[in-house]
Amino acid sequence: MAAVEPSSEMLNTVATWIARADLVCCMTGAGISAESGIATFRGPDGLWEGRRPEDVATPEAFQRDPESVWRFYQARRKALISARPNAGHFALVRLAELVADFQLITQNVDGLHREAGSREVIELHGDVRIDRCTNCQWETRVEGAAERSALPHCPECDGLLRPGVVWFGEMLPPGAIEAAQLAAENCQVMLVVGTSSLVQPAAALASWAQTQGAKVVEINTDSTVLSSSADVHLRGPSGEVLPALVAGVRILSEPRP
Ligand code: OAD
């Protein structure tokens, strides 16, 4: 594993791996949205700092105190109103156009990949802007963060609505992990961007890909539990590293005279 600054020749090596690949997979986490002003989970100022995830991000917490849980997710929806995709999100849209096949997998619930223009994103942890009925499974995607004086209820059956995110202890959306595992198994390069690689099953995808022969490239401002086993750690903000990497892939993909 080599940790390098974005401008080194290691970027060219990774760009070459990507340009030669039949399938490139990219797994993103909260770090890719940090440059859009969205808080990450861990570390100072993270969403879990001073808060126990089990108080706001479990089915038990919602049963016990739905108002508190809704307050937490309403605040996250509000933070998204002014958030826009950043250069890292847009670089992944361009990358998908340059390579033979591309699969984007995200742990993020902010919808910024789709807003940037990425299609067919596997959203392992759901979408924070979805309201879903706990009784009949009716759901809708809400824009913005409407002020709510009372707990929201389903227009179809009056059941309590919940945010469409995956909580600790819950199953991932049907088919999501299977599709992600298939992509990890078949890719030649797995980019792991802006995630602490601590939450399963998402974290296992990189080692699964590596076991199947893929190069694992971590892009992160810090070292993580993945750093020592990744083939390369490109250290830096994804809003800078990804555009530089994609520029390298573009040069390699241009037809030669
Ligand atoms: P974390 O907050 O655990 O990790 C964010 C990672 O992004 C850290 O490793 C940072 O070093 C890195 N980072 C921060 N800014 C960056 C930048 N500009 N460029 C590149 N890297 C940067 O977030 P996740 O790994 O996404 O799950 O968290 C995984 C899951 O844990 C979340 O989906 C959520 C949480 O509990 C659920 O709520 C189910």
Side-chain angles (χ1 to χ4, degrees), residues 51-73:
R51 196 185 262 123
R52 295 185 327 149
E54 49 273 38
D55 288 341
V56 285
T58 59
E60 294 75 21
F62 190 64
Q63 260 186 340
R64 205 169 44 237
D65 187 357
E67 274 107 345
S68 293
V69 173
W70 261 118
R71 261 198 304 281
F72 175 73
Y73 286 100

Side-chain angles (χ1 to χ4, degrees), residues 28-35 39-43 46-48 53 57 72-73 76 86 106-109 124-125 165-169 172 193-200 202 218-224 234 236-241:
T28 65
I32 195 167
S33 295
E35 288 154 87
T40 61
F41 289 93
R42 296 170 181 83
L47 285 167
W48 295 154
F72 175 73
Y73 286 100
R76 297 190 58 198
N86 65 58
T106 189
Q107 298 166 82
N108 298 345
V109 296
L124 289 177
H125 294 166
V165 297
V166 174
W167 284 324
F168 289 99
L172 300 192
V193 184
T195 174
S196 55
S197 292
L198 288 171
V199 172
Q200 299 294 354
E218 180 175 53
I219 297 173
N220 199 304
T221 45
D222 283 310
S223 292
T224 71
L234 299 173
S238 46
E240 294 173 21
V241 177

